[in-house]
């Protein structure tokens, strides 16, 4: 596992050397650059976790570099701390406007430098966590349940986490594969480094190399997911859906331990733990010729199977209480409690959608129900509602009193939502029934804002 990587950009050798020595003593990995062009090259070579950037340099001033990086598609690659011996208020204001975290005056106070670096990294970490929480459903850091099955599984994950091996997580749709992947990361030595969740649906067609490896276009660098997860963990979600061309590209990188960005020339070393997750049997996919055997053996170093909820139904009451508390606290839904009859009914329910179905049920009855208690009858009604027919979907979700383009978009979204639910997120089956190419279907889903992984 790699240490936090800092790039120091300053044209004064004494300052570069002193700052590098101080940071390395604190456990940081440090790369230095003596001017703007060297900084550009260093950034192409590796994405740092933080940059210390001098303002006044002979070839290119730091503000120009900061502006250049801030105009990248993804914005600044990491927190940037500016340094200057004779900066002005206007310069500091401009640096802040362009996204710099802080502005340090020379001569540098090493105590203040270390404190500012620490705070910048912590602020960046919190910002990424906040973005993640806004983008996705709540993540359970420790899987909920007191059954012998769950206790044994948690202990198994803790043991696996202590070894830096790759892991293949299997299990039914909604059983909690991503939850266990995140829990494994949180128990490992990589816990302070990034956790990147990559749905292989984004690797369709010619997009695979860009998403995995990133790209170089002149002075601009786009970092791929392998690099964004540097030092941490990369989750390949629903890896069985990966197209053969993307499998070949990934395998080449894993075999050599390095990759070259699209348009680049210099290899980038891989330092990441791979966790692959799937609801399908990869050995069957290999026999059918849909998944490469050599890639399967790369990924299947340690297998971890997540049992369906029906196999540990004694955890249902704990899960119900957990989601009742979550939705009441985080989404301000009215707190209600399940009656004894409702809980007994749910413990004996087969849970085809597993933990995700349970979570959705809790949210549904809190939104639609009333009163302090959730009865068995209410639960049966919430679980037993038949899926809408095509006529009902059209009549209920598409208004005829609007332009044709908007009505068509509403119908397409309702239709694709229905197909995703019907096929539990299996895009191959969905594309076949819809009569669409997978690549075109992925583009259509993204354009309509439909998340595939939420249905798996």
């Amino acid at each position: 596992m790699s240490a936090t990587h800092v790039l120091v950009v300053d044209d004064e050798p004494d300052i570069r050397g002193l700052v590098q020595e101080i940071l390395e003593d604190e456990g940081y990995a440090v790369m230095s650059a003596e001017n703007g062009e060297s900084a550009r090259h260093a950034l192409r070579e590796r994405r740092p976790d933080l940059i210390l950037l001098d303002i006044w340099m002979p070839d290119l001033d730091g503000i120009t570099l900061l502006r250049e990086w801030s105009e990248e598609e993804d914005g600044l690659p990491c927190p940037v701390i500016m340094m200057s011996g004779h900066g002005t208020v206007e310069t500091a204001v401009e640096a802040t406007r362009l996204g710099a975290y802080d502005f340090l005056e020379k001569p540098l106070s090493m105590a203040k430098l270390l404190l500012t670096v620490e705070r910048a990294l912590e602020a960046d970490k919190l910002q990424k966590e906040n973005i993640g929480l806004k983008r996705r459903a709540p993540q359970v850091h420790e899987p909920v349940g007191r059954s012998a099955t769950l206790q044994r599984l948690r202990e198994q994950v803790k043991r696996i986490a202590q070894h830096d091996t790759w892991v293949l997580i299997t299990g039914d749709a909604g059983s909690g594969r991503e939850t266990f992947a995140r829990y494994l990361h949180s128990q490992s030595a990589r816990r302070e480094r990034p956790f990147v969740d990559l749905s292989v649906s984004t690797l369709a067609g010619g997009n695979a190399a860009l998403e995995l490896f990133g790209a170089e276009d002149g002075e601009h660098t786009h970092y791929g997911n392998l690099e964004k997860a540097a030092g941490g963990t990369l989750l390949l979600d629903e890896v069985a859906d990966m197209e053969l061309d993307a499998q070949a590209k990934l395998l080449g990188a894993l075999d050599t331990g390095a990759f070259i960005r699209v348009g680049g020339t210099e290899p980038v070393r891989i330092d990441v733990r791979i966790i692959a997750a799937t609801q399908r049997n990869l050995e069957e996919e290999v026999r059918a010729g849909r998944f490469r055997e050599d890639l399967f053996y790369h990924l299947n170093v340690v297998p971890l199977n997540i049992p369906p909820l029906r196999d540990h139904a004694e955890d249902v009451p704990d899960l119900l209480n957990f989601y009742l508390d979550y939705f009441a606290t985080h989404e301000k839904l009215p707190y209600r409690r399940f009656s004894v009859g409702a809980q007994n009914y749910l413990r004996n329910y087969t849970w085809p959608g597993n933990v995700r179905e349970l979570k959705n049920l809790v949210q549904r009855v809190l939104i639609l129900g009333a009163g302090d208690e959730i009865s068995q009858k209410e639960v049966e009604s919430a679980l037993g509602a038949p899926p809408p027919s095509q006529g009902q979907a059209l009549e209920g979700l598409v208004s005829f009193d609007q332009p044709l383009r908007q009505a068509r978009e509403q119908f397409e979204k309702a239709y694709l939502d229905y197909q995703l639910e019907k096929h539990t997120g299996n895009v191959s089956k969905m594309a076949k029934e819809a009569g669409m190419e997978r690549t075109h279907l992925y583009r259509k889903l993204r354009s309509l804002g439909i998340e595939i992984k939420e249905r798996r």
Side-chain angles (χ1 to χ4, degrees), residues 73-129:
E73 180 182 351
D74 298 327
L76 292 175
C78 61
V80 179
I81 299 171
M82 307 300 292
M83 305 182 295
S84 177
H86 41 88
T88 64
V89 173
E90 291 79 8
T91 306
V93 169
E94 178 66 3
T96 303
R97 187 186 69 80
L98 292 171
Y101 175 78
D102 208 341
F103 191 99
L104 297 178
E105 293 184 0
K106 296 178 181 177
L108 296 171
S109 159
M110 290 303 144
K112 185 175 182 181
L113 170 70
L114 290 174
L115 182 61
T116 306
V117 166
E118 184 180 329
R119 286 177 173 172
L121 290 168
E122 183 63 24
D124 185 55
K125 179 184 175 183
L126 290 172
Q127 182 184 31
K128 287 175 180 174
E129 289 176 353

Side-chain angles (χ1 to χ4, degrees), residues 16-221:
R16 283 201 313 275
L18 178 61
V19 171
Q20 181 167 352
E21 183 180 339
I22 294 294
L23 291 175
E24 286 177 343
D25 284 345
E26 294 296 318
Y28 297 102
V30 183
M31 179 183 291
S32 62
E34 71 273 11
N35 54 40
E37 190 54 43
S38 296
R40 285 172 174 164
H41 179 77
L43 221 62
R44 285 195 295 270
E45 185 175 316
R46 176 171 180 173
R47 178 176 178 262
D49 297 301
L50 182 137
I51 299 172
L52 287 162
L53 177 61
D54 188 25
I55 289 183
W56 305 112
M57 294 181 291
D59 64 333
L60 193 68
D61 67 88
I63 294 294
T64 300
L65 266 181
L66 185 67
R67 181 179 294 108
E68 180 182 297
W69 295 335
S70 70
E71 291 172 353
E72 295 278 359
E73 180 182 351
D74 298 327
L76 292 175
C78 61
V80 179
I81 299 171
M82 307 300 292
M83 305 182 295
S84 177
H86 41 88
T88 64
V89 173
E90 291 79 8
T91 306
V93 169
E94 178 66 3
T96 303
R97 187 186 69 80
L98 292 171
Y101 175 78
D102 208 341
F103 191 99
L104 297 178
E105 293 184 0
K106 296 178 181 177
L108 296 171
S109 159
M110 290 303 144
K112 185 175 182 181
L113 170 70
L114 290 174
L115 182 61
T116 306
V117 166
E118 184 180 329
R119 286 177 173 172
L121 290 168
E122 183 63 24
D124 185 55
K125 179 184 175 183
L126 290 172
Q127 182 184 31
K128 287 175 180 174
E129 289 176 353
N130 189 42
I131 291 171
L133 288 170
K134 289 180 178 179
R135 189 175 59 237
R136 64 178 77 247
Q139 302 302 328
V140 183
H141 293 294
E142 178 164 324
V144 174
R146 289 175 287 180
S147 67
T149 299
L150 257 290
Q151 291 181 35
R152 188 165 53 248
L153 200 55
R154 280 194 296 265
E155 289 304 312
Q156 185 180 358
V157 169
K158 288 177 182 178
R159 287 196 302 273
I160 294 171
Q162 303 315 306
H163 305 278
D164 208 27
T165 54
W166 295 357
V167 182
L168 177 62
I169 301 181
T170 56
D172 292 352
S175 58
R177 297 186 307 269
E178 184 183 342
T179 295
F180 276 93
R182 289 181 176 273
Y183 182 57
L184 194 157
H185 174 74
S186 73
Q187 298 298 306
S188 74
R190 295 178 179 267
R191 67 178 70 87
E192 299 301 325
R193 308 294 290 145
F195 179 96
V196 175
D197 176 9
L198 174 62
S199 172
V200 300
S201 63
T202 63
L203 305 182
N207 208 33
L210 181 64
E211 288 297 321
L212 285 170
F213 311 135
E216 293 180 24
D217 179 15
E219 298 171 353
H220 301 287
T221 303

Side-chain angles (χ1 to χ4, degrees), residues 244-259:
L244 286 170
D245 181 60
Q247 292 178 35
K249 288 181 170 64
L250 177 61
L251 180 65
L254 301 183
D255 274 337
T256 61
F259 59 87

Side-chain angles (χ1 to χ4, degrees), residues 138 140 144 179 318-329 335 355-356 358-360 362-363 366:
V140 183
V144 174
T179 295
D318 284 338
L319 285 163
L320 292 173
N321 288 329
F322 173 83
Y323 285 114
L324 284 172
D325 288 339
Y326 175 82
F327 287 120
T329 302
Y335 184 85
V355 177
R356 185 182 300 118
L358 182 146
K359 186 194 83 169
N360 291 343
V362 174
Q363 186 176 27
L366 292 183

Side-chain angles (χ1 to χ4, degrees), residues 350-397:
T350 56
W351 295 110
N354 292 293
V355 177
R356 185 182 300 118
E357 183 184 11
L358 182 146
K359 186 194 83 169
N360 291 343
L361 167 71
V362 174
Q363 186 176 27
R364 190 180 307 135
V365 295
L366 292 183
I367 291 173
L368 299 178
D372 292 337
E373 189 171 81
I374 303 165
S375 67
Q376 179 178 334
K377 182 177 180 181
E378 185 179 349
V379 165
E380 290 177 10
S381 176
L383 288 171
S389 68
Q390 290 184 350
Q392 289 172 322
L394 182 65
E395 186 177 322
L397 296 175

